[in-house]
Amino acid sequence: RIESLDDPRLEVFRSLKTRNAVRDARLFVAEGATVVERVLRSGLDVQSVLVSDRKFATCEPFLRPDVRVYRLRSELANELVGFDFHCGVMASAVRPAAPKAEQWIPGSGPSLIIAADRVVDPENVGALIRIASAFGADGVIFGKGSADPFSRRVLRVSMANVLFMPIVETVDLPAMLSELSCQRAFHICGTVLDKQAVDLGSFTFPERTVLVFGNEYDGISDAVRHTLTDRLTISMFNGTDSLNVAISAGIFCHQYRAQVSRNSNA
């Protein structure tokens, strides 16, 4: 039990709404009972758990005896984190090391990879990870300028799927895409709003595909466009000019998975 907010062991949970110091410290903070439970069974190095008195009985069954738990009165917890701590439980853990390519990219055969070029909204980043998991992607790559894939909001929106699939952050997305194309036989398919692009409905996906999704405001950058093997778009009606990046990702991933599964069973 912690009775004073001056306790230095609470530092990682302090004023979370106004700072993201944990990213520089190679830690992450997860919130909510479902997400924290998944963190605790993920196999990652969990540093500590913060739980309010109000939520302790709910969380006690999944707390681990080898992980330090800090228990606070609810009003103290609110003051510590800097907002209404209605979720009642948080965990801090060490970020997993970026996996080496050989650990997560199949050497041959079908493979789907999702790449995000400067996707800045944490909810979109979380949704991309959840969609990638749902449709059996082998991993997700985030280029420079994308939101932190281990932020609290991303973890919550992804329902902690970020913990169970390969996540790679790169400062040079064009170089990584070029390597996947030249050395690992992937087709780099960019999702674009372009009248010259191929309509998704008439496109046949190669078995080894990287689906690239761009920034919410200006799409895929010029540098990434130069790496594309194919440019794809979704035909829309009623003057609709675009879709949310997460909705688009769901449509593209479903189309890929339906085609590849059908061809594999043929």
Side-chain angles (χ1 to χ4, degrees), residues 23 116-120 125 141-149 169:
R23 189 172 195 180
D117 180 20
R118 301 169 301 125
V119 175
V120 298
V125 168
I141 302 168
F142 291 99
K144 184 178 179 180
S146 295
D148 180 3
E169 296 181 85

Side-chain angles (χ1 to χ4, degrees), residues 2 7 31 36 83-84 86 107 125 155 158 166 171 183 194 200-201 210 216-217 219 235 251 257:
I2 302 291
D7 193 310
E31 65 181 355
V36 169
F83 51 86
D84 182 10
H86 60 86
V125 168
L155 280 157
S158 76
V171 296
Q183 299 182 20
D194 187 335
L200 176 62
V210 179
E216 293 90 339
Y217 304 103
S235 294
I251 294 170
R257 186 53 61 198

Side-chain angles (χ1 to χ4, degrees), residues 75-152:
E75 59 271 21
L76 280 182
N78 290 343
E79 186 178 346
L80 173 68
V81 301
F83 51 86
D84 182 10
F85 191 41
H86 60 86
C87 69
V89 60
M90 289 183 176
S92 70
V94 177
R95 290 169 182 255
K100 295 180 180 179
E102 294 75 16
Q103 296 174 315
W104 68 280
I105 301 176
S108 61
S111 180
L112 174 64
I113 295 174
I114 306 302
D117 180 20
R118 301 169 301 125
V119 175
V120 298
D121 188 321
E123 293 196 3
N124 285 335
V125 168
L128 283 176
I129 293 169
R130 192 170 181 179
I131 290 164
S133 177
F135 288 102
D138 287 304
V140 185
I141 302 168
F142 291 99
K144 184 178 179 180
S146 295
D148 180 3
F150 288 90
S151 71
R152 291 182 297 117

Side-chain angles (χ1 to χ4, degrees), residues 7-231:
D7 193 310
R9 293 173 294 180
L10 299 177
E11 193 62 30
V12 69
F13 301 109
R14 196 178 305 278
S15 304
L16 290 174
K17 193 171 183 178
T18 59
R19 64 177 190 160
N20 189 20
V22 291
R23 189 172 195 180
D24 295 331
R26 303 308 300 164
L27 300 173
F28 69 87
V29 172
E31 65 181 355
T34 299
V35 175
V36 169
E37 181 178 8
R38 291 177 178 177
V39 169
L40 287 169
R41 63 177 174 82
S42 68
L44 296 179
D45 180 6
V46 183
Q47 301 285 289
S48 60
V49 172
L50 174 74
V51 61
S52 67
D53 285 342
R54 182 172 55 85
K55 285 287 187 177
F56 185 77
T58 300
C59 298
E60 189 175 16
F62 61 76
L63 296 176
R64 281 171 28 191
D66 61 317
V67 175
R68 185 176 289 111
V69 177
Y70 302 130
R71 183 172 173 178
L72 284 80
R73 300 194 310 275
S74 296
E75 59 271 21
L76 280 182
N78 290 343
E79 186 178 346
L80 173 68
V81 301
F83 51 86
D84 182 10
F85 191 41
H86 60 86
C87 69
V89 60
M90 289 183 176
S92 70
V94 177
R95 290 169 182 255
K100 295 180 180 179
E102 294 75 16
Q103 296 174 315
W104 68 280
I105 301 176
S108 61
S111 180
L112 174 64
I113 295 174
I114 306 302
D117 180 20
R118 301 169 301 125
V119 175
V120 298
D121 188 321
E123 293 196 3
N124 285 335
V125 168
L128 283 176
I129 293 169
R130 192 170 181 179
I131 290 164
S133 177
F135 288 102
D138 287 304
V140 185
I141 302 168
F142 291 99
K144 184 178 179 180
S146 295
D148 180 3
F150 288 90
S151 71
R152 291 182 297 117
R153 189 181 301 178
V154 170
L155 280 157
R156 186 171 64 248
V157 174
S158 76
M159 291 303 293
N161 278 296
V162 67
L163 306 176
F164 302 102
M165 69 180 309
I167 302 295
V168 175
E169 296 181 85
T170 177
V171 296
D172 195 343
L173 181 59
M176 190 165 189
L177 294 175
S178 295
E179 179 182 344
L180 288 168
S181 175
C182 297
Q183 299 182 20
R184 300 184 182 275
F186 278 87
H187 285 250
I188 313 300
C189 298
T191 60
V192 299
L193 295 173
D194 187 335
K195 292 181 179 179
Q196 306 304 315
V198 177
D199 179 70
L200 176 62
S202 62
F203 183 74
T204 300
F205 279 104
E207 283 189 334
R208 295 173 72 80
T209 291
V210 179
L211 277 171
V212 185
F213 299 93
N215 176 268
E216 293 90 339
Y217 304 103
D218 58 11
I220 294 173
S221 65
D222 289 340
V224 170
R225 277 178 182 263
H226 289 313
T227 71
L228 300 181
T229 311
D230 300 280
R231 299 184 183 190

